[in-house]
């Protein structure tokens, strides 16, 4: 047997080193047989069928054939591998656009890698322990990095895009930070297609302001998303120009598109827009009409606002025949065509009376500035304090709330909010918590924080979550103190911390990191009181430890981003 | 040259984690909150107290200056190694915020360090004594020789049997192998384990997977059968082979060898570290590049299934050490010997070649070791380019390219590579072979740290 197998390892390796440069097999096709030499194909065919049925040329059939075939195949295999050549290069991708932003400081880059490594679903139990929730810090890290205007480290883009893919709320900040290279990447990986949708035109730059022909071309021929982005960009720069651009094609747009375009006029809305909006009140589409009416009612000097003021004024009056002055409401008896044209929806939702439905819409759209004159020269606070006859109070105040939010009227918002310490502020008064949160939005950030701080000091934390959500981050000192004090009180009351996990989570993200020092004392496990829930003290200590750790981490994050 | 002042990066610390769960748990502890009395010494010791769920904090101490990678000690009950506390403390240290200030070690840390130093010294003296006694500690040389002979006889029997099986297979045709399925190969592999030829057993097991590996499998099966045959023949005729090649055959068969080649002292840059695991064993490969000698060395270390091997050298570190090669032509495996300075971050990069040269290098290496699947190569100025469903690394200039291996397409590292490149040339270290190129580490063209891809 040995005599017949003439190839041994030495000759195989010799083959490998001598034929290495003469064979021309392409690396991309090593698995295919097309470009392999004929001798190899013969070997494969024989091997597949078996030497009992067929032998390749040069190998005699018989008991020695399998070994001879293996010998030849060994030589061929090594020769083929040794002779591999690189494949032909395909079309290389277009280089990603240069990112002009300064590079992220090294420490901040490492922090981002850590935050991104803490993805949900990568192990871990339900209990939160004392360690910070890193993923929850990603939004504010991104916001801070964007404020500094840093460029994202390219190697972290895949993890960043994966994170944004799973959490839509992260997307705007993540994509802004990721920059143009993320869009470039997203074109290569279908998993990240959302990045192309979110970036209008797949990241193509909008034409510069002076390029009127380019703007006109994009507006007339661009995709819908590109056109919306273009309109928004111009609106932000020059509101009138955006409106004029929209006017050029308004008549030929589809109803859904008209609605979207009209909506983008919300930004930078001004008295100049009135004629255009007034004309849109006659639109074929009901949704376009009502949006136009809504926009007009936000312009207190518009003709529509004046018409609404007249209609609403007829319905509300001060009744002096009572012992104390009282507001009397006489809701409209019909919804005439004029009202309908001005955006009043005639059909009430089921369960609501038609008249109160119409009334609400009229008051909501009427300028708030008209009421003091109409109601005996009283200030908004005095007007809100007036009793309202026949159970109309809820309806009237709710409509005023909507008007104050829409017209961004801080004085009325203040009046409707009342003092935070008022007993009815905590309960289900005329103004719901959701409405309060919206009203707070019309106030300055300091005033907002102060009001919520007062609210928490009186009513505790159980109703405060929604209100805390509208406060600026980081929280102002009075608000931060109020929250910490309230948490401390809740602990002393003996309840478990997870009843406050929502507020705790917010505090971790929103409390000023400078407060960490004040919290030190709360990290110890207190002696268990008689009426306390078993073990609560330990859990509270744990929750406060996590709070402090998170605050420290946020301070470190901010410092790293400063680049010091 | 001591470089303890230079702290590691968080990435390098996280590379020490035995699994993803530890990485996550460690990241969470990498903040100042739970730590107290933390500190580090100039000798490369880091210590701290970590508040856990119990009343007594855990004592964690790490020796980062050790030659074989960091050593850890923690009073927590975790059997993970390193535990999350050690990882967290190293992360805290790496962040360098002053949370781990330089200072003198407390007693409990000092004791452990001193104990370690003591043992190291004893080992060194013992090693020196053993060296002087010319292997006197290795037991009876005559008995060892008889054991080796007995094993060689068994391997020869195994190789002969395997030859017979291959001949039968070829006589009946590979087409039959598809129906015979995996069982036949499993049984043959078990026979090779009995024959004490683990290298043959592993190859045979892989043969079993080929018929289900997709189109073109007969070609791959014939190739692999032929290489097993070549190895059998090499073993059966090892006396007639040159020494170097005979050593290569022995190591491919799976015989143990010792790294007794002449040691090379160099500043070794860690190019890549990655683990592969099967049901019984985790294998860690660490590629080193000698910045002075230009040589490439492979360190292998093993851990039981599910446990990380002990040796850990994060990418981008450089260590001044001696490295001794294992015997055999074309073998890059080496053992880490004496270390003269602790690993420290380095900005050094290996020099690179073109795709054409990389392919040629693989071809040349086959002359020394025909069983090589790939060789380590650094490619200079290549651009990752999509080619249908797959990717290739194309030379920035010229029109040749190396296709990426199928397995590297499914790894997240591919996208880090593509993102890093952004269509511009990058430097890539990886393994280049007949299946294509597996990227392991990349560097941007401009300044920037090494980016792990594996």
């Amino acid at each position: 047997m040995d005599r017949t197998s003439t190839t041994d390892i030495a000759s195989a390796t010799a083959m490998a080193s001598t034929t290495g440069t003469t064979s021309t097999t392409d690396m991309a096709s090593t698995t295919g047989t097309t470009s392999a030499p004929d001798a190899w194909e013969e070997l494969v065919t024989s091997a597949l069928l078996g030497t009992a049925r067929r032998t390749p040329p040069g190998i005699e059939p018989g008991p020695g054939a399998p070994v001879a075939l293996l010998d030849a195949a060994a030589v061929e295999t090594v020769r083929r591998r040794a002779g591999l050549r690189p494949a032909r290069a395909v079309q290389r991708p277009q280089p990603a656009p240069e990112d002009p932003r300064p590079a992220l400081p090294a420490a901040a880059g490492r922090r981002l890698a850590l935050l991104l490594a803490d993805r949900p679903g990568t192990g871990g139990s339900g209990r939160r322990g004392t360690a910070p929730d890193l993923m929850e810090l990603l939004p504010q890290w991104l916001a801070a990095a964007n404020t500094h205007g840093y460029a994202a480290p390219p190697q972290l883009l895949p993890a960043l895009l994966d994170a944004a893919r799973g959490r839509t709320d992260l997307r705007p900040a993540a994509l802004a930070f990721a920059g143009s290279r993320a869009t470039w990447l997203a074109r290569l990986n279908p998993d990240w297609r959302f990045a192309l949708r979110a970036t209008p035109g797949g990241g193509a730059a909008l034409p510069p302001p002076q390029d009127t022909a380019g703007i006109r071309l994009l507006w007339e021929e661009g995709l819908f998303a590109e056109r919306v982005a273009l309109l928004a960009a111009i609106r932000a720069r020059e509101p009138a120009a955006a409106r004029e651009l929209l006017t050029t094609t308004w008549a030929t747009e589809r109803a859904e598109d008209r609605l979207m375009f009209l909506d983008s006029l919300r930004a930078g809305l001004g008295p100049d827009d009135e004629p255009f909006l007034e004309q849109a009140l006659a639109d074929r589409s009901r949704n376009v009409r009502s949006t136009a009416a809504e926009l007009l009612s936000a312009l207190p000097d518009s003709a529509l606002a004046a018409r609404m003021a007249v209609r609403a004024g007829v319905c509300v009056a001060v009744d002096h025949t009572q012992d104390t002055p009282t507001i009397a409401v006489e809701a409209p008896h019909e919804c005439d065509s004029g009202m309908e044209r001005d955006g009043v929806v005639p059909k009430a939702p089921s369960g609501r009376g038609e008249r109160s439905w119409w009334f609400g819409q009229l008051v909501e759209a009427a300028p708030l500035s008209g009421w003091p004159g109409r109601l005996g020269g009283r200030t908004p606070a005095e007007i809100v304090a007036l009793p309202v006859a026949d159970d109309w109070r809820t309806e009237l105040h709710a409509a005023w709330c909507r008007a104050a939010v829409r017209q961004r009227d801080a004085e009325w918002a203040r009046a409707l909010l009342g003092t935070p310490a008022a007993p009815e502020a905590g309960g289900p008064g005329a103004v719901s918590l959701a409405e309060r949160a919206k009203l707070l939005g019309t106030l300055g950030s300091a005033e907002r924080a102060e009001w919520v701080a007062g609210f928490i000091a009186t009513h505790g934390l159980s109703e405060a979550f929604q209100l805390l959500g509208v406060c600026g981050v980081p929280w102002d000192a009075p608000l931060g103190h109020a929250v910490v004090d309230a948490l401390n009180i809740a602990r002393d009351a003996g309840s478990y911390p997870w009843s406050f996990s929502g507020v705790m989570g917010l505090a971790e993200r929103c409390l000023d990191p400078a407060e960490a020092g004040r919290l030190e004392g709360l990290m110890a496990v207190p002696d268990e009181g008689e009426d306390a829930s078993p073990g609560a003290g330990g859990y509270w200590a744990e929750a406060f430890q996590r709070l402090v750790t998170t605050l420290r981490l946020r301070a470190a994050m901010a410092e790293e981003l400063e680049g010091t | 040259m001591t470089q303890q002042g230079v702290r590691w990066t968080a990435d390098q610390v996280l590379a020490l984690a035995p699994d993803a769960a530890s990485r996550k748990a460690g990241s969470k502890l990498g903040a100042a909150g739970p730590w107290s009395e933390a500190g580090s010494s100039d000798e490369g010791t880091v210590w701290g107290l970590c508040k856990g769920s119990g009343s007594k904090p855990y004592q964690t101490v790490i020796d980062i200056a050790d030659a074989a990678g960091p050593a850890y000690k923690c009073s927590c009950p975790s059997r993970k190694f390193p535990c999350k506390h050690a990882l967290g403390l190293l992360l805290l240290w790496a962040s360098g915020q002053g949370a781990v200030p330089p200072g003198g070690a407390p007693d409990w840390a000092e004791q452990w360090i001193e104990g370690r130093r003591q043992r190291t010294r004893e080992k060194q003296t013992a090693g020196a004594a053993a060296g002087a006694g010319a292997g006197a500690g290795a037991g009876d040389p005559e008995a060892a020789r008889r054991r080796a002979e007995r094993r060689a006889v068994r391997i020869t029997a195994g190789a002969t049997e395997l030859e017979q099986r291959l001949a039968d297979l070829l006589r009946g045709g590979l087409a039959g192998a598809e129906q015979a399925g995996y069982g036949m190969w499993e049984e043959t592999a078990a026979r090779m384990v009995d024959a004490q030829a683990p290298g043959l057993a592993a190859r045979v097991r892989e043969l079993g997977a080929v018929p289900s590996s997709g189109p073109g499998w007969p070609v791959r099966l014939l190739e692999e059968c032929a290489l097993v045959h070549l190895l059998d023949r090499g073993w059966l005729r090892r006396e007639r082979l040159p020494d170097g090649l005979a050593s290569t055959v022995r190591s491919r068969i799976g015989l143990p060898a010792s790294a007794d080649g002449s040691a090379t002292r160099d500043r070794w840059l860690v190019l890549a570290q990655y683990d592969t695991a099967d049901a019984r064993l985790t294998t860690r490969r660490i590629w080193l590049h000698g910045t002075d000698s230009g040589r490439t060395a492979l360190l292998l270390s093993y851990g039981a299934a599910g446990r990380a091997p002990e040796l850990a050298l994060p990418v981008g570190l450089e260590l001044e050490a001696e490295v001794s090669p294992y015997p055999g032509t074309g073998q890059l495996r080496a053992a880490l010997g004496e270390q003269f300075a602790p690993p420290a971050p380095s900005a050094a990069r290996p020099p690179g070649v073109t795709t054409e040269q990389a392919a040629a290098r693989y071809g040349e290496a086959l002359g020394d070791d025909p069983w090589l699947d790939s060789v380590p190569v650094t490619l200079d100025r290549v651009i990752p380019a999509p080619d249908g469903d797959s990717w290739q690394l194309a030379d920035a200039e010229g029109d040749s390219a190396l296709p990426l291996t199928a397995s590297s397409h499914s790894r997240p590292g591919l996208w880090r590579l593509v993102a890093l490149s952004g269509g511009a040339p990058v430097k890539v270290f990886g393994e280049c072979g007949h299946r294509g190129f597996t990227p392991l580490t990349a560097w941007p063209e401009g300044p920037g740290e090494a980016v792990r891809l594996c």
Side-chain angles (χ1 to χ4, degrees):
Chain A
M1 280 268 282
D2 269 357
R3 297 225 165 257
T4 56
S5 62
T6 50
T7 311
D8 64 11
I9 180 171
S11 63
T13 54
M15 290 298 288
S17 44
T18 53
T19 59
T21 48
T22 56
S23 175
T24 55
T25 312
D26 182 353
M27 218 177 222
S29 56
T30 45
T31 52
T33 51
T34 45
S35 64
D38 289 347
W40 173 249
E41 263 185 68
E42 288 287 346
L43 290 177
V44 174
T45 311
S46 300
L48 204 50
L49 296 173
T51 54
R53 294 190 191 83
R54 178 195 160 133
T55 54
I59 293 176
E60 280 180 27
V67 175
L69 174 61
L70 282 170
D71 283 343
V75 174
E76 275 304 314
T77 299
V78 178
R79 197 175 71 144
R80 274 158 49 88
R81 288 186 178 179
L84 286 177
R85 286 279 173 80
R88 277 192 74 78
V90 294
Q91 176 83 40
R92 295 167 187 80
Q94 280 285 323
E98 203 60 39
D99 197 332
R101 296 175 293 180
L104 197 63
R110 289 194 285 272
R111 177 71 60 193
L112 176 61
L114 278 181
L115 297 185
L116 288 171
D118 187 46
R119 300 278 304 287
T122 52
S125 59
R127 206 164 88 88
R128 299 184 59 205
T130 58
D133 202 342
L134 296 181
M135 193 64 181
E136 286 302 318
L137 297 179
L138 193 53
Q140 54 180 272
W141 190 96
L142 288 171
N146 283 334
T147 313
H148 284 283
Y150 289 125
Q155 67 270 24
L156 291 179
L157 290 179
L160 189 61
L161 285 169
D162 282 343
R165 184 186 181 208
R167 278 186 56 174
T168 43
D169 60 318
L170 274 179
R171 285 183 188 176
L175 291 177
F177 177 60
S180 51
R181 188 168 293 201
T183 338
W184 180 88
L185 265 180
R187 279 197 213 99
L188 296 168
N189 187 339
D191 283 355
W192 299 328
R193 223 172 309 163
F194 69 89
L196 299 179
R197 284 198 298 272
T199 323
L206 295 173
Q210 61 277 11
D211 180 11
T212 42
I215 289 174
R216 178 52 63 89
L217 188 72
L218 185 61
W219 177 249
E220 279 166 8
E221 294 174 12
L223 299 171
F224 176 68
E226 288 171 331
R227 303 180 67 204
V228 170
L230 179 68
L231 195 63
I234 298 177
R235 182 77 177 173
R237 232 168 26 221
E238 204 184 337
R243 192 184 60 241
E244 278 155 24
L245 188 66
L246 182 54
T247 317
T248 56
T249 57
W250 180 254
T252 58
E253 304 288 356
R254 299 180 314 149
E256 310 90 279
D257 296 359
R258 284 203 303 276
L259 187 63
M260 281 297 289
F261 291 141
L262 195 59
D263 209 52
S264 53
L265 295 188
R266 206 177 284 273
L269 189 67
D272 291 352
D273 295 319
E274 190 185 346
F276 178 76
L277 293 171
E278 189 70 37
Q279 175 209 324
L281 282 178
D283 199 270
R284 294 187 299 281
S285 152
R286 190 163 62 85
N287 286 332
V288 172
R289 287 199 302 271
S290 64
T291 304
E294 191 197 326
L295 291 175
L296 279 170
S297 69
L299 295 171
D301 297 327
S302 67
L304 178 132
R307 293 195 292 273
M308 284 303 205
V310 172
R311 289 184 189 117
V314 172
C315 302
V316 181
V318 180
D319 181 356
H320 290 284
T321 59
Q322 311 279 330
D323 296 344
T324 51
T326 304
I327 291 180
V329 169
E330 179 66 22
H333 290 274
E334 58 163 354
C335 178
D336 60 32
S337 60
M339 282 161 69
E340 229 181 298
R341 181 178 177 277
D342 283 348
V344 175
V345 180
K347 177 136 179 48
S350 61
R352 282 200 66 174
E354 275 186 329
R355 292 182 60 199
S356 75
W357 170 245
W358 297 329
F359 171 70
Q361 295 181 76
L362 293 183
V363 174
E364 178 184 346
L368 287 163
S369 52
W371 292 112
R374 173 82 200 144
L375 300 173
R378 292 177 171 84
T379 64
E382 288 164 345
I383 293 172
V384 171
L386 286 176
V388 182
D390 302 332
D391 295 335
W392 278 101
R393 184 166 185 265
T394 314
E395 199 69 54
L396 181 60
H397 281 203
W400 274 337
C401 281
R402 293 196 295 275
V405 171
R406 189 186 290 183
Q407 295 167 31
R408 310 211 56 78
D409 190 317
E411 197 188 354
W412 271 89
R414 232 171 265 134
L416 287 161
L417 277 167
T419 58
E424 79 273 11
V431 181
S432 72
L433 280 169
E435 279 167 331
R436 269 178 229 270
K438 282 191 199 152
L439 288 173
L440 281 169
T442 66
L443 303 181
S445 122
E447 195 179 351
R448 223 181 302 163
E450 198 184 340
W451 197 90
V452 178
F455 180 89
I456 290 173
T458 315
H459 305 288
L461 290 170
S462 44
E463 306 285 345
F465 184 76
Q466 212 167 8
L467 302 178
L468 284 169
V470 298
C471 293
V473 176
W475 289 338
D476 285 352
L479 179 57
H481 295 179
V483 171
V484 172
D485 290 347
L487 284 172
N488 204 1
I489 289 168
R491 175 176 72 159
D492 293 344
S495 48
Y496 282 115
W498 38 85
S499 317
F500 301 91
S501 58
V503 174
M504 257 307 180
L506 269 182
E508 284 164 20
R509 296 195 289 280
C510 307
L511 209 55
D512 192 327
E515 297 284 319
R518 280 169 38 90
L519 292 164
E520 293 277 351
L522 297 173
M523 286 161 60
V525 181
D527 296 331
E528 207 150 284
E530 261 176 34
D531 50 350
S533 315
Y539 292 122
W540 275 104
E542 198 174 87
F544 278 119
Q545 278 169 27
R546 188 176 60 243
L547 178 56
V548 171
T549 312
T550 310
L551 294 182
R552 293 244 166 79
L553 190 62
R554 284 173 49 210
M557 273 168 37
E559 215 172 276
E560 288 159 0
L561 283 165
E562 291 296 333
T564 48
Chain B
M1 184 185 63
T2 52
Q3 294 186 312
Q4 282 87 359
V6 189
R7 300 194 173 196
W8 292 13
T9 67
D11 251 359
Q12 289 165 342
V13 171
L14 287 176
L16 302 172
D19 53 36
S22 304
R23 199 169 304 141
K24 184 182 162 102
S27 322
K28 291 195 163 189
L29 289 173
W35 293 97
S36 56
E37 295 173 41
S40 63
S41 78
D42 285 346
E43 289 85 46
T45 312
V46 185
W47 60 85
L49 298 177
C50 184
K51 169 104 188 54
S53 47
S55 58
K56 207 165 173 291
Y58 296 127
Q59 300 176 330
T60 311
V61 51
I62 303 138
D63 181 7
I64 47 164
D66 194 86
Y72 323 89
K73 160 97 175 137
C74 183
S75 58
C76 75
S78 167
R79 279 176 296 168
K80 295 257 178 77
F81 201 79
C83 66
K84 60 181 179 179
H85 307 103
L87 283 174
L89 181 56
L90 276 180
L91 281 175
L92 193 62
W93 169 75
S95 64
Q97 299 154 20
V100 186
D107 284 348
W108 54 267
E110 193 56 47
Q111 270 168 21
W112 178 74
I113 290 292
E114 197 39 53
R116 277 184 57 76
R117 303 251 157 86
Q118 183 77 31
R119 281 195 296 281
T120 313
R121 275 195 296 275
E122 277 164 13
K123 231 186 267 175
Q124 274 167 358
T125 0
D140 182 2
E142 182 60 25
R145 197 183 56 77
R146 277 204 304 276
R147 273 201 304 278
E149 264 172 25
R150 275 203 300 278
R151 183 170 184 180
V153 170
R154 296 181 111 166
I155 294 174
T156 302
T160 313
E161 183 187 341
L162 184 54
E163 278 294 88
Q164 195 55 52
R165 296 223 174 182
L166 287 174
D168 291 348
L169 178 67
L170 268 291
R171 190 172 300 115
L174 297 181
E178 198 179 14
Q179 284 105 50
Y182 205 74
M184 174 187 81
W185 296 112
E186 263 308 297
E187 191 226 318
T188 313
R191 300 280 299 149
M192 293 305 114
V193 171
D194 291 345
Q196 293 186 293
L200 286 178
R203 281 184 175 270
V204 169
R205 218 171 278 125
E206 273 168 30
L207 287 182
V210 174
S212 57
S213 66
W217 67 266
V219 172
R220 288 194 292 281
L221 187 56
L222 178 59
E223 283 180 340
E224 293 307 319
C225 284
L227 288 174
V228 171
H229 166 71
L230 192 64
L231 189 52
D232 280 338
R233 309 296 312 170
W235 172 258
L236 296 174
R237 300 180 177 189
R238 61 192 181 282
E239 276 86 15
R240 285 160 49 191
L241 297 179
D243 282 349
L245 196 53
S247 298
T248 301
V249 168
R250 269 195 287 275
S251 100
R252 289 280 174 195
I253 288 277
L255 282 174
S258 54
D260 48 10
S262 63
T264 310
R265 177 172 173 166
D266 204 337
R267 287 176 298 125
W268 296 96
L269 179 67
V270 183
L271 291 183
Q273 170 187 312
Y274 66 99
D275 294 350
T276 49
D278 63 18
R280 277 158 301 182
L281 200 65
T282 307
T283 306
R284 173 166 292 172
R285 289 179 171 77
I286 299 176
W287 284 111
L288 298 178
H289 167 75
T291 49
D292 295 335
S293 63
R295 286 171 51 176
T296 305
L298 173 66
L299 303 180
L300 286 181
S301 64
Y302 302 95
R307 291 191 59 159
E310 262 196 49
L311 182 63
L313 289 172
V315 173
L317 293 188
E318 192 179 83
L319 60 157
E320 185 161 11
E322 273 182 353
V323 156
S324 317
Y326 280 81
T329 53
Q331 303 303 295
L332 295 171
R333 188 180 171 193
L336 191 58
E338 192 183 347
Q339 194 177 340
F340 304 101
S346 163
R349 298 178 182 189
V353 298
T354 64
T355 54
E356 188 87 39
Q357 289 165 318
R361 196 171 278 185
Y362 173 62
E364 283 157 24
L366 284 176
D368 289 329
D369 179 356
W371 299 279
L372 264 185
D373 279 327
S374 61
V375 292
V377 176
T378 306
L379 296 175
D380 228 350
R381 291 181 56 74
V382 284
I383 300 172
D387 178 14
D389 284 340
S390 60
W391 285 78
Q392 55 168 235
L393 290 175
D395 280 329
E397 290 86 23
D399 63 346
S400 58
L402 293 175
L404 295 189
T405 50
S407 58
S408 53
H409 286 122
S410 52
R411 293 198 204 141
L414 168 69
W415 289 104
R416 285 205 287 277
L417 173 62
V418 175
L420 182 72
S421 151
V426 284
K427 181 180 274 242
V428 183
F429 170 76
E431 293 168 1
C432 176
H434 60 93
R435 294 194 187 96
F437 189 89
T438 306
L440 298 175
T441 305
W443 296 263
E445 184 142 73
E449 285 173 4
V451 176
R452 286 185 58 190
L453 305 176
C454 50

